[in-house]
Amino acid sequence: SRANKKFCEIFGIQAASDSLQGQDCATAAQFSKSLFIDEDGFVAFINQCVQDRVLKQNQELEMKDARVLSITYIPIDYENNYAGCCWKYTDITERRKNEQLLIEAKLNAEELAKSKQLFLANMSHEIRTPMNAILGMSKQLSKTKLNKEQAFFNSTIVTAADNLLVILNDILDISKIEAG
């Protein structure tokens, strides 16, 4: 087996990568396990891969220094005989952080949308109550003796209030639809 420079960097190995030549995977796993949060899980994963000799892709393991590695095991067969394996270690810490930021941003956006819906529903209710009072009082006023000019003014108030009430109801309907 051989290890490249990147492997040594990921695992903080100070020795030259070619000095690791000939080390088996189980020994390397025992040597590196202290870097992982789940030490036994890391060793078990490595040993299981070597035992099964089946491709295993993108196993994510968390390290004690807050890094996250994606590990892929690739068995190599030559003329139907196992000839060794290749391990691919990828530091996905930044991707993991970005995914978490996206999840948080999505949750914030959903929370803001809920707040907006609640605000619209509350405001339309709060405005509709005095609007209904204006309509009710205008209708009561129309039952009294009014001159032509007063009747026109009252009719204008009723028409404007009815139109405003339709708009308020539409806003309330939209907020109900958005709220599901």
Side-chain angles (χ1 to χ4, degrees):
S1 70
R2 299 187 67 151
N4 65 19
K5 183 178 175 184
K6 187 65 177 174
F7 175 85
C8 291
E9 286 174 18
I10 288 173
F11 287 97
I13 298 170
Q14 300 299 321
S17 58
D18 53 347
S19 71
L20 299 174
Q21 191 168 343
Q23 298 255 345
D24 67 3
C25 298
T27 302
Q30 286 296 329
F31 175 76
S32 307
K33 74 178 185 177
S34 64
L35 299 172
F36 291 87
I37 290 174
D38 182 3
E39 295 180 13
D40 295 332
F42 171 70
V43 171
F45 171 72
I46 298 297
N47 290 335
Q48 192 67 50
C49 289
V50 172
Q51 179 184 332
D52 294 346
R53 296 183 178 167
V54 176
L55 174 69
K56 294 194 181 178
Q57 296 183 354
N58 305 319
Q59 176 74 32
E60 293 184 11
L61 296 172
E62 295 180 6
M63 300 182 76
K64 290 179 181 174
D65 65 2
R67 289 183 295 162
V68 180
L69 295 183
S70 172
I71 303 173
T72 297
Y73 167 80
I74 306 164
I76 300 170
D77 289 328
Y78 179 73
E79 296 180 355
N80 293 329
N81 291 315
Y82 180 74
C85 64
C86 179
W87 294 91
K88 178 184 172 193
Y89 294 87
T90 307
D91 187 338
I92 60 167
T93 307
E94 283 304 310
R95 184 181 83 196
R96 205 33 124 59
K97 286 178 185 175
N98 290 336
E99 287 170 354
Q100 189 59 39
L101 289 173
L102 285 172
I103 289 168
E104 290 171 12
K106 179 181 179 260
L107 291 174
N108 286 339
E110 289 171 350
E111 200 60 37
L112 286 172
K114 285 179 187 176
S115 295
K116 180 188 106 181
Q117 293 162 2
L118 185 60
F119 174 78
L120 284 173
N122 286 338
M123 288 311 298
S124 63
H125 280 296
E126 293 300 320
I127 295 171
R128 196 169 12 171
T129 300
M131 190 54 57
N132 282 326
I134 292 169
L135 278 169
M137 295 308 286
S138 296
K139 288 180 183 176
Q140 289 299 329
L141 183 61
S142 67
K143 294 178 184 178
T144 65
K145 194 171 194 170
L146 301 172
N147 66 34
K148 203 171 191 178
E149 187 179 28
Q150 291 171 327
F152 172 75
F153 289 157
N154 192 50
S155 172
T156 303
I157 292 171
V158 170
T159 301
D162 279 336
N163 289 338
L164 193 52
L165 203 53
V166 168
I167 293 169
L168 289 170
N169 286 330
D170 288 346
I171 291 171
L172 185 58
D173 289 343
I174 288 171
S175 68
K176 283 181 184 176
I177 289 169
E178 286 179 351

